[in-house]
Amino acid sequence: HGFQPNVIRTFDIPMAEESVEVLEYIGFVPDVARLIYDRYCGRPSPSQNPDDLMAYVTAHLASLSRRQYDNMSHQEALADVGLTHQIQGAITDPRFSHIFGTQTLTYWAQDTVETNYAALLRQQQLLQSHANKRIAHKKKHKRPRHEPSREDQDPSEQQPVTATINMTPQDFQVPDTYVMVQPDANILADHISLYKGKAYDELGPAGDIIESDGTVNLRPLSTYPGGDFNFDFNAQYWTPEIETAEEYRKFAERRSPAADTCIIHIQVQRPFINSLRMENLWYSPNWKEYIWTCRRQATPHPKFDHLWRPGQANIVRGPICSTLSTQLVRIRRENIQSHITEDNVMRLLSGRKATRWVFVQRDVIDRLAEHIRGKMHFIIFEAAVRFS
C-alpha cells in the first residue's frame, strides 16, 4: 500500500553498517552515539568478540530498567539514555498509550532503534542491488563510439534524467516460488482470519518466515516469556481483529517512520481450530491474577494449570492488558484485585476491548504452521517518510 513507482525521491543515508553516523541515524544524539561507538571499538579481542554494534546498543538501552528511572517521566528517561526528541515523542505519544502499555519502556526503545537499523540495512541492500542492475544494463547497452554524449547534445534536446526503483517481491526478500502478489488475500470459506501488525523490516528477510518450498516458520513471530499469557515459554500471539493489528502497525510506523510496516494475515481452517482445546480468560479476578503472574515471569498458581501445561489448553483467548510491566509487577499480591481494573484493559479507538488468541503449546504451533502454508498474506505499507 502506498508504493508509487512514478514518484521520484532523493535521500541520503549512511552506507557503512557500523559507524557513529549509523547510530545517529537510528535515533541517538551525537554525544551518546560517539560514546556507544567508542565502547564498541574498544571491545577486547575484536576479531574473536561475537558482539556486534547493535549488541552494544542493546546493553546501553538495558539501563532503562534500572530503578533510578522510576521517578522520571518516560520521556525524561529516554532523553537520559540519549535518544532523540523524535523517538522520545514517538514512543510516548498519547495516541498510542494503549499499545505502549503492553510492553516495557526498555522493550519499545530497543525495538524502535533495532527497527530503524533493519530498515537502514534493507535500504542499503535495495540501493546496491538496483545500482548493480543499472551498471549491468549500461554495460549491456553501451553507447557506440560515434554517438554523441549527453554533454555534447544541445541543452534544449536533452531529456530529463530520472531514476525509478520499482519494488518487486525480490526486494522484500520473499522466495520466488510459492508467492503470489496481490493486494489482499481472498477470504476462504470455513476459515478463521487472524492478524498481527508490525514493522516489516524488523521481521528480517521474509524468507526466514516463508521458506523456499512454501513452508511457514513461525519462530520469528514468537512472543518471548513475560507476555500476558506466557510466563516462561515462547508463544504465538494473534488477534481476530484487524483493527487491533492496525493499531500495532501504526505505532510501529509512528516510532520508525522510515521503515515499511505490515499486517500479517493468516487463515486457519475452522475444523483445525475446533479440534484444539480452547480456554477463555476474560476480564475477571482470575484474569488479573494470571496477567500479574505472567508479566512477573513467575510460575502461576496450580489453579491456572489448565491454561498452560502440556496436554491442557492449546489456545487461550482473552483481552489485552495495556499497563506497563514495570508498574504491574510492583503491585503487591494483596492489592491485585483493587489496583488492577478495567482501565487496565486495552481498548481500541472504537471503544471495544482488544482481544488476542495465544497459541501456547509448541506442537500445536508447529501444526498451525503446517495448516497456514499458502494462507499467509503480508499487507505491506510503504514507509511514512523516506530517508533524508
Side-chain angles (χ1 to χ4, degrees):
H1 289 260
F3 290 90
Q4 302 177 58
N6 295 325
V7 175
I8 307 302
R9 296 183 175 92
T10 61
F11 49 87
D12 297 320
I13 61 173
M15 291 307 292
E17 290 187 13
E18 296 180 337
S19 67
V20 174
E21 290 75 22
V22 165
L23 292 173
E24 290 182 29
Y25 194 85
I26 65 175
F28 289 98
V29 297
D31 289 349
V32 175
R34 169 55 66 183
L35 174 67
I36 296 172
Y37 189 70
D38 286 346
R39 286 175 181 166
Y40 169 67
C41 292
R43 68 196 185 282
S45 305
S47 61
Q48 299 178 5
N49 193 318
D51 293 333
D52 60 10
L53 180 61
M54 291 306 291
Y56 279 77
V57 168
T58 298
H60 176 78
L61 293 176
S63 64
L64 283 169
S65 60
R66 295 175 183 167
R67 297 191 73 94
Q68 70 187 71
Y69 292 112
D70 287 357
N71 297 323
M72 287 188 186
S73 70
H74 295 135
Q75 196 150 351
E76 288 173 334
L78 294 171
D80 195 65
V81 296
L83 292 172
T84 63
H85 287 295
Q86 183 273 325
I87 288 186
Q88 295 170 35
I91 291 177
T92 61
D93 188 340
R95 161 70 177 80
F96 296 102
S97 59
H98 57 310
I99 304 291
F100 173 73
T102 62
Q103 290 286 354
T104 65
L105 182 64
T106 304
Y107 172 89
W108 291 124
Q110 292 181 348
D111 183 75
T112 301
V113 297
E114 287 172 1
T115 299
N116 288 343
Y117 185 64
L120 172 61
L121 293 184
R122 199 170 76 80
Q123 285 290 342
Q124 290 176 344
Q125 294 164 358
L126 181 65
L127 289 171
Q128 290 166 354
S129 171
H130 283 275
N132 291 336
K133 290 177 183 177
R134 185 173 178 84
I135 291 170
H137 178 80
K138 283 185 175 181
K139 288 181 177 179
K140 184 177 180 180
H141 300 87
K142 190 173 182 180
R143 185 178 62 248
R145 288 179 179 274
H146 65 274
E147 183 178 325
S149 67
R150 183 175 300 275
E151 289 78 11
D152 296 333
Q153 294 177 11
D154 186 293
S156 63
E157 297 176 357
Q158 292 186 22
Q159 297 298 315
V161 179
T162 61
T164 300
I165 296 178
N166 295 307
M167 305 300 289
T168 67
Q170 290 74 28
D171 292 322
F172 289 99
Q173 298 177 283
V174 296
D176 294 332
T177 54
Y178 301 99
V179 172
M180 292 172 52
V181 179
Q182 58 189 45
D184 203 349
N186 296 319
I187 302 300
L188 304 173
D190 208 24
H191 281 67
I192 293 172
S193 288
L194 297 174
Y195 305 91
K196 184 184 290 284
K198 298 181 75 68
Y200 182 86
D201 293 317
E202 74 173 300
L203 298 176
D208 289 348
I209 298 173
I210 303 176
E211 299 178 4
S212 58
D213 64 352
T215 300
V216 175
N217 173 23
L218 289 173
R219 286 179 178 81
L221 301 176
S222 296
T223 295
Y224 297 125
D228 285 356
F229 295 158
N230 62 316
F231 65 97
D232 74 343
F233 53 88
N234 288 351
Q236 284 288 323
Y237 280 66
W238 295 82
T239 176
E241 307 133 3
I242 194 169
E243 183 184 0
T244 299
E246 176 67 358
E247 285 298 285
Y248 277 90
R249 184 197 72 78
K250 286 181 176 178
F251 189 38
E253 180 181 73
R254 174 71 174 90
R255 292 178 293 112
S256 300
D260 297 326
T261 55
C262 70
I263 290 178
I264 307 170
H265 176 194
I266 61 174
Q267 298 189 68
V268 193
Q269 286 184 320
R270 195 175 294 274
F272 171 64
I273 294 295
N274 292 341
S275 73
L276 302 176
R277 179 171 174 176
M278 184 179 293
E279 295 285 349
N280 296 322
L281 187 60
W282 304 118
Y283 176 77
S284 62
N286 277 345
W287 180 86
K288 298 178 185 182
E289 183 178 347
Y290 195 62
I291 292 283
W292 178 82
T293 303
C294 287
R295 291 282 193 97
R296 296 176 70 239
Q297 298 186 44
T299 302
H301 187 279
K303 68 181 178 181
F304 295 116
D305 283 358
H306 66 289
L307 296 176
W308 67 274
R309 282 198 179 277
Q312 300 290 319
N314 303 132
I315 305 173
V316 182
R317 298 188 303 183
I320 300 171
C321 180
S322 62
T323 300
L324 282 173
S325 290
T326 49
Q327 299 174 6
L328 201 68
V329 301
R330 288 172 186 159
I331 297 174
R332 298 175 65 87
R333 178 179 290 277
E334 59 268 25
N335 295 327
I336 292 173
Q337 300 304 326
S338 59
H339 285 41
I340 300 177
T341 69
E342 281 199 89
D343 290 339
N344 300 106
V345 175
M346 176 177 161
R347 291 185 181 274
L348 302 170
L349 297 181
S350 63
R352 67 188 295 193
K353 292 179 180 178
T355 61
R356 57 181 29 150
W357 291 25
V358 185
F359 294 80
V360 295
Q361 305 297 345
R362 177 72 261 170
D363 62 321
V364 173
I365 293 171
D366 291 340
R367 289 167 59 197
L368 173 66
E370 295 173 4
H371 276 270
I372 62 174
R373 187 176 188 269
K375 302 172 188 176
M376 171 178 272
H377 190 83
F378 290 85
I379 308 170
I380 302 175
F381 296 76
E382 184 183 33
V385 298
R386 278 309 185 193
F387 291 89
S388 61

